[in-house]
Amino acid sequence: MISVMGATGHVGGEIARRLVKAGQKVRTLGRSREKLAAIQGGEAHAGDAADASYLASAFRGADAVFTLLPPDLHAADYRALQDRQGEAVARAVREAGVRHVVLLSSVGADQPSGTGPIAGLHAQEERLRALPDTNVLALRPGFFFENFYASLPVVKHQGVVGDAVKPDVALPMIATRDIAAAATEALLARDFRGFVVRELLGPRDLTHAEATRIIGSAIGRPDLPYVPLPYEDMVGALVAAGLSPNVSSQYVEMSRAFNEGRVRSLEGRNASNTTPTRFEDFALELAQAFRAM
Ligand SMILES: NC(=O)c1ccc[n+]([C@@H]2O[C@H](COP(=O)([O-])OP(=O)(O)OC[C@H]3O[C@@H](n4cnc5c(N)ncnc54)[C@H](OP(=O)(O)O)[C@@H]3O)[C@@H](O)[C@H]2O)c1
């Protein structure tokens, strides 16, 4: 039996579906019993990720557990929330005696600070690394393709993609389904020992300008411009879009770290960290969502 946190989200959802398809018994975790009930073949365990006793009961008896720190765009203090969730997860893993844990971390999690939400993932890697009887695989993916869903309303209403990342900064970008594929394989094989890091970098590095061109051609607007925003303007735009001021600042701190080259692959690209889904193919799905808006 395998427990999957964030089972209604991008990565966890795909992992849960893949595990069920592989004939595994799966416990699905998230806050909403109704949303979890929609995952066919899973056993729903609803609760909050900062509640260690809930997590321990959902982890108990599992051969492996998939863990993440669920994002909260409205958090008053996002790093403090990450710490509460991270401590709860580590405590639950220890109390439930889980032997194999896959953690959804990020490229840049080698850095302890100055990287916005990624610094919270660094702290979580350290917590799990300290568990003496647990084997941990920390997956460090790049920037999710799915982040561009949040750009679609701006494309619709203002005719641009805008962000604080400089147009010519190339980042590893990846489809969440490719992260889920790697995580599922590891949860089933359980062949990692001690604390292991694995980067997942997508098929190639992409700049925001290039990604915008690809989105533009998928939605029939080949001239769609990418507009780099000053950091303060980006914070303002995110607050106007409904994010908390703290989460907005954290996001922009991360963009600054991208621009300054502090969030980067340590391994360098190779066959095992290069994943198959191309941004060009993902952009067709994005275009479908755009047309449905
Ligand atoms: N975006 C990126 O480019 C990127 C890159 C590298 C790493 N990451 C990391 O990836 C993680 C996000 O993964 P994702 O995109 O798959 O997540 P996601 O799609 O946002 O899904 C979040 C999941 O967590 C659940 N959840 C939310 N709040 C919760 C809470 N308080 N207690 C329990 N469950 C809760 C949600 O379910 P309900 O809403 O139904 O409760 C959902 O299943 C984050 O840790 C992020 O730092 C992101």
Side-chain angles (χ1 to χ4, degrees), residues 26 35 73 82 120 135 139 151 168 175 223 250 258 262 283 289:
V26 181
K35 274 161 70 183
L73 301 182
Q82 286 181 306
N135 301 297
L139 294 177
S151 303
D168 56 346
D223 298 332
Q250 289 279 310
F258 290 153
R262 286 181 282 114

Side-chain angles (χ1 to χ4, degrees), residues 35-51:
K35 274 161 70 183
L36 292 170
I39 304 168
Q40 302 226 325
E43 185 184 290
H45 286 251
D48 192 276
D51 177 350

